[in-house]
Amino acid sequence: MCDDKPPCKHITTLHTYTTDYNADSVEWCPHEPHQSVFVCANYQLNPETGKRVGCILLFSVTSDELILHQKIETAAVLDQKWCHNKINDWALLGVANAQKTLEIYALKGDDLKLEFVTSCQLDDDRETLFLSLDWSTGKFASGEPEIVVSDSKGAIHRFKLRNCELIKAESWHGHEFEAWICAFYYWDPNIVFSGGDDCRFLKFDKRAGVGPLSCNRRHEAGVTSMHSNVGKEFILATGSYDETARFWDIRQLKNCLSLVKMPGPLWRLKWDPYDHKYLLAAFITNIKTLLMGLIGHTSKRTNP
């Protein structure tokens, strides 16, 4: 249910930067003193060789300038996210790429450089792309966090980061086509959600094995995005190619609490990190344009 208008409808462009490849992900560092630092991930398919290439660009921004500090050449990057808490006083960045590899980088001290920490590649002969990732630390900090990753074959993978090494805990098949998105329920990281091109929205609990506890088919197209709200227990937002953002109480997933029609297919959703009241929505208006909007949301059904 939408009850508030976004605080501002006008956006002014302060800086521009032209990337060599297609820019597909931007993530701001959540940790002091680097909250003016962000990473931009890139993806490019070479039509002649079929190779997917990319890079990670590390920027800082002020009111006066946009500064590029580092460029890391990698395989094409499909998703990247910062760990919500520091580990060993490092800000850690998880990166999912087109070579079925999860990589971890660290931003250490005051030196604005990302250092490679560790990686883990899927042991699979098939051409597989890692499509999305999420950290378990959204609500509760951990020195040994888990990371969940979805891939282009419809599988979900759970990793654990321990002593700067990635350990693959388990993998399971979730979707018949691409598993576009996966996400932890931050209030209980035993619970994981995933969405796929088969229009299914699944709920898993590692305490109950790898089979889904529930399978929701309310989305009318591929499920591409989801995000747990750390300020409101039980609330999860999902987005789809069907141009609709939906809000759920995870205790009762038969019907959504409310929905909002968007101007185009949704690609990413993210709750604001401060009040947890507004939802940033990235949606596609045509094949080359990705726009963003704010959705104000409250729910009448957030208590048992």
Side-chain angles (χ1 to χ4, degrees):
M1 177 166 65
C2 285
D3 64 340
D4 293 306
K5 294 182 180 180
C8 180
K9 294 183 178 181
H10 305 288
I11 297 174
T12 301
T13 300
L14 299 178
H15 310 288
T16 61
Y17 184 91
T18 302
T19 59
D20 295 330
Y21 307 136
N22 296 315
D24 61 3
S25 173
V26 172
E27 293 284 337
W28 290 88
C29 181
H31 306 300
E32 293 286 357
H34 299 311
Q35 290 181 318
S36 62
V37 172
F38 69 92
V39 284
C40 175
N42 293 255
Y43 176 107
Q44 191 80 24
L45 174 63
N46 187 319
E48 296 180 358
T49 65
K51 185 177 181 181
R52 295 176 175 88
V53 297
C55 66
I56 302 168
L57 304 174
L58 180 71
F59 291 95
S60 67
V61 65
T62 69
S63 58
D64 299 319
E65 58 183 338
L66 176 68
I67 305 169
L68 175 65
H69 295 276
Q70 187 180 18
K71 179 178 180 180
I72 302 173
E73 297 287 349
T74 69
V77 176
L78 282 302
D79 195 16
Q80 55 178 352
K81 290 186 176 73
W82 297 93
C83 182
H84 303 86
N85 61 263
K86 286 186 175 182
I87 298 177
N88 297 327
D89 204 33
W90 303 344
L92 296 184
L93 178 71
V95 177
N97 71 33
Q99 291 184 348
K100 55 194 174 190
T101 302
L102 173 63
E103 298 179 332
I104 305 296
Y105 293 87
L107 190 62
K108 303 178 182 180
D110 296 327
D111 184 20
L112 289 182
K113 297 289 182 182
L114 287 170
E115 295 183 23
F116 176 79
V117 176
T118 187
S119 68
C120 188
Q121 186 174 51
L122 186 64
D123 184 15
D124 188 339
D125 293 335
R126 301 177 299 172
E127 182 183 29
T128 304
L129 286 67
F130 279 176
L131 299 178
S132 75
L133 70 94
D134 195 16
W135 294 81
S136 63
T137 49
K139 181 71 175 176
F140 305 107
S142 174
E144 296 185 352
E146 293 187 338
I147 304 170
V148 66
V149 178
S150 65
D151 75 29
S152 58
K153 302 301 182 185
I156 315 297
H157 313 276
R158 188 189 288 263
F159 297 85
K160 191 172 189 66
L161 182 65
R162 177 181 294 159
N163 298 325
C164 295
E165 292 187 9
L166 279 171
I167 302 166
K168 187 164 77 70
E170 57 186 345
S171 298
W172 65 92
H173 183 76
H175 298 271
E176 295 307 313
F177 305 108
E178 290 89 344
W180 290 120
I181 192 72
C182 60
F184 280 101
Y185 173 52
Y186 294 140
W187 292 77
D188 183 353
N190 290 301
I191 297 173
V192 169
F193 294 93
S194 68
D197 212 42
D198 53 6
C199 308
R200 299 196 303 166
F201 159 41
L202 304 178
K203 176 184 177 181
F204 302 92
D205 189 325
K206 72 176 183 179
R207 297 165 294 192
V210 296
L213 293 183
S214 66
C215 176
N216 182 289
R217 300 178 185 271
R218 293 290 179 177
H219 300 82
E220 298 174 4
V223 183
T224 57
S225 54
M226 55 184 58
H227 200 205
S228 172
N229 190 310
V230 300
K232 297 180 176 68
E233 191 173 8
F234 308 121
I235 299 301
L236 181 80
T238 63
S240 169
Y241 284 134
D242 65 8
E243 304 182 5
T244 304
R246 292 173 171 85
F247 302 93
W248 306 88
D249 183 323
I250 70 162
R251 298 166 296 180
Q252 198 285 99
L253 291 172
K254 184 177 181 180
N255 295 300
C256 64
L257 295 172
S258 59
L259 55 85
V260 179
K261 294 299 292 184
M262 302 297 291
L266 278 156
W267 182 242
R268 284 291 183 264
L269 294 172
K270 184 172 289 190
W271 291 103
D272 82 84
Y274 303 107
D275 298 326
H276 318 294
K277 181 178 180 181
Y278 292 101
L279 186 71
L280 184 68
F283 53 90
I284 303 168
T285 57
N286 57 56
I287 199 167
K288 291 185 177 180
T289 305
L290 187 69
L291 299 178
M292 292 182 291
L294 281 173
I295 303 171
H297 174 264
T298 60
S299 171
K300 295 181 179 179
R301 291 198 294 156
T302 57
N303 297 314

